[in-house]
Amino acid sequence: MGGLKTMKNLSKAWFQGSLALPFLLGFFFVLFTYLTVSHQFAYSQTPSTHAIQTNPFKDATPAKQGNERRTEDLKDKDETAKVQSHRDPSPIPKIEKNDTSNSNHFGGNFENFKQSPTNIPICNTHNPLSDTCDTQKGDIRTHGTSSSILIVPKFSTDGNLPQEWRIRPYTRKHMTSIKEVMVKQLNSPQEAPLCTVDYKHPALVFALGGLIGNYWHDFTDVLVPLFIASRQFDRKVQFLITNIQPWWLGKYEKIIRALSRYEVIDFDKDNQVRCFSRVLVGLEMHKEFSIDPSRAPNGYSMADFTKFLRSTFNLQRDHPIRLSENPDVKPRLMIIDRTNYRKFNNTQEIARLAERLGFETIIADPKFNLGVDEFAKTVNSFDVLLGAHGAGLTNCVFLPTNAVVIQVVPYGNLEHMAKVDFGDPIVDMKLNYLEYSISAEESTLMDIYGKDHPVIKDPISIHQSGWDKVAEFYLGKQDMRVNVDRFAPTLLKARELLNK
């Protein structure tokens, strides 16, 4: 019996040892792979002190929060003619803590994971304006300091070549000043770095810089596309921002926080490995200063964007005055008064004309340190907005639906540009649009160059000389003296539209 018992114990020990050997080999293989990958990506599991301790909203530099004109001086010679800047000191929605949990795993803990390196088109680089990526459902890991978004497969790719994209996450992809972000599919889950923070909601990676600081470009290049990309998530989306600009975030803080309930993360300084089930990279521009509902999530439109702004800034008026119901009330008209190029030389005369035609008229020059919130409320109280082609007309986003916008187009065959930049977007906002084109006699270019100069006699030849010449002459050297007799029918048409 003793011999039999000894044989049983030896057999049991041999059997357990034979099971332990593969386990030990597997353990050392995983340990070796982890150490190799960790070295390759140079990832650190030390928490990013910048992401934890720094609030970019609070780092806004006061000197840059006023109405800046520095970019506009360049824009009108380089298609950037629309600058205004306001500081936003008003209350904001409370930021909530992230729905995150610390984790330490290879393959993620996302349910129903079906991501494959070959079954879903990840990035779209065919849009002439913007390159964007959407990983859809999967195991996605971001690492900011290496500008990496890694797509982790559930299983090995078995020889299928994974793809890699280099994306400038800004709406104008040809701007080389924007740093590229790498979106890469891995070959196997073993290549993935360990997660340090795990999220239950998606992320959106985008860049600031480019042409921001210019009021029109702030909306056209960032705020409108950001609304398109993020509104669908009902504020449950994490913003990862490269080339972060604290002053810009401070200026538009209320809008940013109305689109995301979480503190933004400075992607360039973020050394965490953040794990998401979906990551969007880049912002898509459908067209200048507007939205194509057929391409937007949930069919969002530019009218939805302006409604969102009225809600965000608690603007009281959704509709302008209806003169048919209030015949004794004067409609309110705001004249945007520029103080540099393309300014009205007879603003007071225009205002007196409007008063004679039955308007209550205010001349506004929003160059002083007015907050976006404050000026939005002011604009919303008006029924008609009048201004020369330029940044000031961007404030039309705060008007009530069916209000009237009058764009005065400078001399020089600029009607197409005016239509693309403002005319079409204004109609998309469900506002009424009127256009008044300056004649040669109303332009100061006539005084400078005379009637026989090509600038006056042949604007087409100036256009054929290139954009630099168009910007130099027609945007950068021209002021306007509006012929009030010629302009009066346009104001009467505005009144007529308010009767409907």
Side-chain angles (χ1 to χ4, degrees), residues 1-20:
M1 289 294 292
L4 182 59
K5 184 175 182 180
T6 300
M7 288 297 294
K8 286 182 178 180
N9 289 338
L10 288 173
S11 297
K12 182 177 180 181
W14 177 88
F15 180 71
Q16 291 174 337
S18 65
L19 290 178

Side-chain angles (χ1 to χ4, degrees), residues 73-93:
D73 293 338
L74 300 174
K75 159 55 171 129
D76 289 323
K77 298 180 182 178
D78 188 28
E79 232 268 67
T80 40
K82 297 133 187 165
V83 116
Q84 253 170 296
S85 193
H86 306 291
R87 185 167 176 262
D88 183 1
S90 47
I92 51 177

Side-chain angles (χ1 to χ4, degrees), residues 75-77 79-81 338 341-342 389 410-411 414 417 467 469-478:
K75 159 55 171 129
D76 289 323
K77 298 180 182 178
E79 232 268 67
T80 40
R338 298 172 61 89
Y341 33 82
R342 300 193 314 278
H389 177 83
Y411 181 74
L414 303 179
M417 180 183 71
W467 171 253
K469 292 298 182 183
V470 173
E472 177 187 351
F473 291 115
Y474 297 127
L475 297 179
K477 291 184 176 180
Q478 176 175 196

Side-chain angles (χ1 to χ4, degrees), residues 93 186 199 441 474:
L186 300 182
Y199 292 80
E441 291 73 23
Y474 297 127

